[in-house]
Amino acid sequence: MTMLPAFAQDFSDKITLVIHGGAGTITRANMTPEKEKAYREGMQLALHKGYDVLKKGGTSVQAVEAAIRVMEDSPLFNAGKGAVFTHEGKNELDASVMEGQSLKAGSIAGVTTIRNPISAAIAVMEKSPHVMMAGRGAEEFAREKGLEIVDPSYFYTESRYKALQRAREEEKTELDHNAKDEKALKKGPKSGMNAPENLIFDEGKKYGTVGCVALDRFGNLAAGTSTGGMTNKRYGRIGDAPVIGAGTYANNNTCAVSATGHGEYFIRSVVAYDISALMEYKGMTLDEAAREVVMKKLVERGGEGGVIALDRQGNISMPFNSEGMYRGYIKSDEKSEILIYKD
């Protein structure tokens, strides 16, 4: 447990942790009870792992790492173990983290051998003079810092590989994983999404990033994001997840944000920083700023997805303009909630 300085304000009554597991076409119509149960259990574990860190006096960065590592180690989420495949049949991972007190940040992109990318992003922030590292260099750095390195085959999952085959056949880039075709969806459970041969991941078109924002007892905010990117992506494509200010941002004066959605739009709109800027320069509340960006600006520009956001008072905002978003929170009174759909 880290001790508070004698002069510091104690935020123990405000500690909060919020997570997301991706957004997209996530509806009850294409979700089985078994799939929903699996996602809820995975998110509940992530919430409590992160919250336990906060409760024991750990920092917001430590809590973000603990929560995201749970999701990176689960094949349910498009991050770490459950990462999707590129066009070449590889798993290329991106992650970032930012700390709200110092505004320090760390990011990695296009790595293929780091088991937990969020830990590598934190190492970049804490143990290097840099903010972003990519590819082999990032992997060499992670190895030097003692992070767990795995063979690329560790990230292989049959369902993600089949999603790549479908995407190749359809000759279009998919975001995270593709639902069965429209006809199959309309036919219902016997021949569509719930057929026995279908895999747990086939719940619809989903923007599969995972993320976490946290507020610790020291009053410090942190945000982290991790992803496997796009199914069938080419040319070393990188989305918003590792881009500070787009997919991740934290500032004690305003908020911490982690985004999930169509990365190109989130980069162009600098979504995470824009929410902070609206709070800082226009005096908006957290929820007003988050909704202005996600429900208005992004929609006008054609961007789909959502964010989780948290301010220093423990206020939460989780807007999304897609059909659904895996999201959840736990507060200092240990009240927690996990949500998936719009209603």
Side-chain angles (χ1 to χ4, degrees):
M1 177 174 172
T2 308
M3 299 300 293
L4 277 169
F7 57 85
Q9 180 181 348
D10 189 350
F11 282 75
S12 294
D13 62 340
K14 292 184 174 67
I15 60 171
T16 305
L17 187 126
V18 192
I19 62 172
H20 72 73
T25 310
I26 305 165
T27 65
R28 287 186 174 85
N30 52 27
M31 178 77 78
T32 66
E34 293 78 17
K35 285 185 282 191
E36 182 170 333
K37 182 174 182 289
Y39 277 104
R40 287 186 181 277
E41 287 176 350
M43 294 184 69
Q44 193 72 250
L45 179 60
L47 273 180
H48 285 284
K49 283 284 187 180
Y51 182 75
D52 283 348
V53 172
L54 296 177
K55 191 176 179 181
K56 292 175 182 176
T59 68
S60 52
V61 171
Q62 292 169 335
V64 164
E65 180 181 26
I68 290 180
R69 281 178 67 109
V70 169
M71 293 185 282
E72 287 179 338
D73 289 343
S74 168
L76 288 171
F77 303 98
N78 176 18
K81 177 64 177 174
V84 299
F85 285 83
T86 67
H87 183 74
E88 292 77 22
K90 299 179 180 179
N91 306 103
E92 294 181 355
L93 315 173
D94 310 323
S96 65
V97 68
M98 187 166 182
E99 191 270 316
Q101 180 183 35
S102 64
L103 302 186
K104 288 183 178 180
S107 169
I108 61 164
V111 299
T112 61
T113 63
I114 301 172
R115 174 171 174 167
N116 293 107
I118 189 64
S119 297
I122 292 170
V124 172
M125 176 177 73
E126 296 180 343
K127 300 176 181 180
S128 87
H130 308 304
V131 171
M132 181 179 283
M133 295 183 189
R136 290 183 181 178
E139 292 171 348
E140 181 182 350
F141 172 80
R143 187 179 295 106
E144 289 178 356
K145 299 305 176 185
L147 299 184
E148 185 173 357
I149 303 299
V150 295
D151 187 88
S153 63
Y154 164 81
F155 301 105
Y156 179 93
T157 55
E158 187 69 14
S159 61
R160 302 301 198 196
Y161 190 70
K162 287 184 176 180
L164 172 62
Q165 304 311 308
R166 291 197 300 270
R168 281 173 169 172
E169 289 168 7
E170 294 166 3
E171 287 299 315
K172 63 179 182 179
T173 301
E174 296 295 312
L175 293 178
D176 184 21
H177 45 261
N178 183 40
K180 298 299 181 183
D181 60 41
E182 292 293 327
K183 292 180 181 178
L185 284 171
K186 291 176 182 176
K187 287 179 181 177
K190 290 187 178 180
S191 59
M193 296 303 298
N194 300 332
E197 69 270 22
N198 292 323
L199 298 150
I200 194 169
F201 311 96
D202 287 337
E203 79 275 23
K205 186 183 75 172
K206 177 171 167 289
Y207 302 83
T209 309
V210 306
C212 178
V213 293
L215 172 67
D216 62 29
R217 66 189 295 256
F218 310 99
N220 292 327
L221 293 165
T225 311
S226 181
T227 188
M230 281 176 145
T231 295
N232 202 32
K233 67 184 178 183
R234 306 191 190 197
Y235 315 118
R237 179 264 183 188
I238 294 171
D240 65 304
V243 179
I244 302 302
T248 302
Y249 191 76
N251 185 331
N252 279 4
N253 293 325
T254 52
C255 60
V257 179
S258 175
T260 173
H262 194 152
E264 281 69 15
Y265 290 91
F266 280 68
I267 293 172
R268 294 175 192 134
S269 297
V270 202
V271 164
Y273 177 72
D274 198 19
I275 293 170
S276 171
L278 288 172
M279 294 178 68
E280 183 172 2
Y281 301 125
K282 294 194 74 173
M284 288 186 176
T285 66
L286 177 76
D287 196 55
E288 288 172 345
R291 291 187 173 278
E292 171 75 12
V293 173
V294 174
M295 307 306 292
K296 185 178 178 183
K297 290 187 175 184
L298 264 181
V299 171
E300 290 172 352
R301 295 165 187 171
E304 183 180 351
V307 304
I308 52 171
L310 173 67
D311 70 16
R312 213 175 178 209
Q313 301 308 309
N315 296 310
I316 296 169
S317 185
M318 303 184 291
F320 57 97
N321 60 40
S322 51
E323 289 294 323
M325 181 171 79
Y326 295 109
R327 62 208 188 276
Y329 66 86
I330 185 166
K331 299 183 74 71
S332 58
D333 58 4
E334 299 197 20
K335 176 188 175 184
S336 67
E337 189 172 18
I338 290 173
L339 302 161
I340 298 177
Y341 312 108
K342 273 187 177 179
D343 51 358

